Amino acid sequence: MEYSPPRPSPCCRFPGAVKKKAFLLSIMLFIWVFVLYSCVGPCSTGVLLDSPRDRDRERDGAPAAAAAGERTERADLLSRLRWEDVDYYEEPAAARGAASRDLLLSDEPEPREPVPRAPEPSSMSSFSNGAGSKKLPQAIIIGVKKGGTRALLEFLRVHPDIRAVGAEPHFFDRNYDNGLEWYRDLMPKTLEGQITMEKTPSYFVTKEAPARISAMSRDTKLIVVVRDPVTRAISDYTQTLSKKPDIPSFESLTFKNRTTGLIDTSWSAIQIGIYAKHLDNWLQYFPMEQILFVSGERLISDPAGELGRVQDFLGLKRIITDKHFYFNQTKGFPCLKKAEGSSKPHCLGKTKGRTHPDIRPEVVRRLRDFYRPFNMKFYQMTAHNFGWD
């Protein structure tokens, strides 16, 4: 009698190759679901306005008395300055007139910086697609207007490990309701190890910006380009004058009363330069070691030196050096020998380096007297003398 080996039942006769394919498909499906969950999670972060720096330290075990002591010290440092006299959103004096007030309080971007548009809806718009992926910025240039932020950003974009959006997103002051996914989609794609950056100078004087950026990430590194506040105010006025030649004179906008010399702190061109007041707002949410102050004056006289400090602050290799710059005698500031993605020299556009109008020395002197105590406070807070007096 011939022996026949037992045959498997029909339900168990799947070839080995089919079983392997089914197993691999199951693994791929699991990995895809895991990656999707991991990427979507951070985008749903809510805004926590009640998590400033002092609470973090108390939560991490630092004595509450130490945090309270620092708050008391900072309050004492600023107590002698009357912040109520320099509120940013205070209405200007009625004598100035509504028309000039509307013109001068505007903070419109330069013509070459269009306001970003919201992207088309896409559930995968911020995920990896091709080379690199879009990420929320790890570093932001938050100020100040007419301090040299555009120059700093253009210089930094030479570094191969920095990717930055060109236009000012104005997310944390004007477009916050669009959500973090909208903000992320504005960013350029980055590879592993590269830093995503943006710059919007008005963040520094926006009261809500520190809490909003902290809610996005408490580890965000902040860069502030500061400049002699008197020169900055004149430059601010010069920019507006180039667009609206019929505005009142610098002197008439500077003083509430020309006879007494009382400065009108409700004018934004004056208000922005009170750096100590604005910095105090940021220190409620970020420690000083997460904020780098770049000198606008040194950015002109020694761009490589200031860029070296910025690269160290960002944890990057010092690649941008003296060999990247040359001084343009006509414009009066340094230019790049080779811009990002180009083999040609590059200087900032004609909107930079405008000739300032003549201001009477007496007006400049009174402005310097006004800013002096605020500058002293700022020097104390940053432990750095910028030499503006």
Side-chain angles (χ1 to χ4, degrees), residues 91 94 130 137 146 160 199 212 262:
E91 285 295 325
K146 307 310 297 179
K199 78 105 175 172
R212 290 171 173 178
L262 182 63

Side-chain angles (χ1 to χ4, degrees), residues 24-170:
L24 289 174
L25 285 173
S26 301
I27 293 177
M28 291 174 65
L29 179 61
F30 174 80
I31 293 175
W32 185 86
V33 172
F34 177 79
V35 170
L36 181 64
Y37 177 81
S38 300
C39 292
V40 172
C43 299
S44 61
T45 303
V47 177
L48 302 176
L49 299 182
D50 59 346
S51 57
R53 175 173 55 121
D54 293 329
R55 296 183 187 177
D56 292 343
R57 284 191 297 192
E58 292 176 12
R59 181 197 62 195
D60 294 337
E70 182 177 342
R71 288 194 297 269
T72 302
E73 181 181 356
R74 186 165 65 239
D76 180 67
L77 180 67
L78 300 169
S79 62
R80 293 188 295 276
L81 298 177
R82 298 182 59 192
W83 294 136
E84 66 270 19
D85 292 339
V86 292
D87 283 343
Y88 187 72
Y89 297 104
E90 177 186 350
E91 285 295 325
R96 180 180 300 155
S100 63
R101 176 168 66 247
D102 293 340
L103 289 175
L104 273 297
L105 286 179
S106 66
D107 185 20
E108 57 185 328
E110 291 287 344
R112 66 189 297 267
E113 298 175 0
V115 177
R117 296 181 179 179
E120 294 296 324
S122 172
S123 61
M124 298 296 288
S125 62
S126 62
F127 303 148
S128 179
N129 180 19
S133 60
K134 295 187 177 185
K135 300 181 180 68
L136 293 170
Q138 296 92 41
I140 304 176
I141 301 174
I142 59 173
V144 297
K145 180 184 178 185
K146 307 310 297 179
T149 58
R150 171 56 58 184
L152 178 61
L153 185 70
E154 293 298 317
F155 295 163
L156 284 174
R157 293 174 78 175
V158 174
H159 200 292
D161 291 333
I162 291 179
R163 299 281 287 129
V165 59
E168 296 176 2
H170 283 280

Side-chain angles (χ1 to χ4, degrees), residues 278-321:
H278 305 302
L279 177 57
D280 187 58
N281 188 32
W282 287 89
L283 292 179
Q284 308 301 317
Y285 294 88
F286 291 91
M288 188 65 79
E289 55 266 25
Q290 272 180 242
I291 308 176
L292 178 70
F293 297 91
V294 174
S295 167
E297 288 81 12
R298 281 181 53 83
L299 199 58
I300 294 175
S301 63
D302 182 21
E306 286 300 278
L307 266 293
R309 293 179 59 242
V310 177
Q311 291 170 94
D312 292 345
F313 175 70
L314 296 175
L316 299 174
K317 182 179 178 181
R318 285 198 177 196
I319 290 178
I320 306 173
T321 62

Side-chain angles (χ1 to χ4, degrees), residues 176-196:
Y176 195 63
D177 289 342
N178 288 336
L180 283 174
E181 187 63 20
W182 178 90
Y183 183 48
R184 185 202 304 263
D185 208 69
L186 297 177
M187 300 299 127
K189 291 182 179 180
T190 55
L191 301 173
E192 187 68 27
Q194 291 183 320
I195 293 177
T196 303

Side-chain angles (χ1 to χ4, degrees), residues 203-222:
Y203 291 163
F204 189 63
V205 297
T206 300
K207 292 181 179 179
E208 298 83 4
R212 290 171 173 178
I213 295 178
S214 177
M216 177 187 73
S217 173
R218 297 172 185 170
D219 297 325
T220 305
K221 293 187 176 183
L222 309 172

Side-chain angles (χ1 to χ4, degrees), residues 213-368:
I213 295 178
S214 177
M216 177 187 73
S217 173
R218 297 172 185 170
D219 297 325
T220 305
K221 293 187 176 183
L222 309 172
I223 301 174
V224 188
V225 187
V226 288
R227 181 185 186 186
D228 181 336
V230 176
T231 308
R232 197 222 65 81
I234 297 173
S235 180
D236 198 338
Y237 173 81
T238 303
Q239 175 178 309
T240 307
L241 183 66
S242 69
K243 301 172 184 177
K244 304 181 185 299
D246 58 342
I247 62 173
S249 69
F250 180 85
E251 182 173 345
S252 64
L253 292 165
T254 296
F255 298 111
K256 284 185 177 180
N257 187 311
R258 296 192 193 187
T259 303
T260 62
L262 182 63
I263 303 296
D264 192 345
T265 59
S266 62
W267 182 23
S268 64
I270 300 296
Q271 172 64 218
I272 292 172
I274 306 175
Y275 303 139
K277 170 182 178 281
H278 305 302
L279 177 57
D280 187 58
N281 188 32
W282 287 89
L283 292 179
Q284 308 301 317
Y285 294 88
F286 291 91
M288 188 65 79
E289 55 266 25
Q290 272 180 242
I291 308 176
L292 178 70
F293 297 91
V294 174
S295 167
E297 288 81 12
R298 281 181 53 83
L299 199 58
I300 294 175
S301 63
D302 182 21
E306 286 300 278
L307 266 293
R309 293 179 59 242
V310 177
Q311 291 170 94
D312 292 345
F313 175 70
L314 296 175
L316 299 174
K317 182 179 178 181
R318 285 198 177 196
I319 290 178
I320 306 173
T321 62
D322 283 322
K323 67 181 181 182
H324 288 90
F325 301 98
Y326 74 95
F327 192 83
N328 187 301
Q329 297 290 345
T330 302
K331 287 183 171 291
F333 52 76
C335 301
L336 288 169
K337 290 182 179 179
K338 293 182 180 180
E340 178 195 28
S342 173
S343 60
K344 299 179 180 180
H346 171 68
C347 282
L348 298 179
K350 63 181 180 180
T351 61
K352 307 299 180 182
R354 298 184 182 96
T355 301
H356 291 178
D358 291 330
I359 308 296
R360 288 197 305 119
E362 176 64 16
V363 176
V364 174
R365 184 189 65 78
R366 291 190 178 186
L367 269 179
R368 293 208 178 281

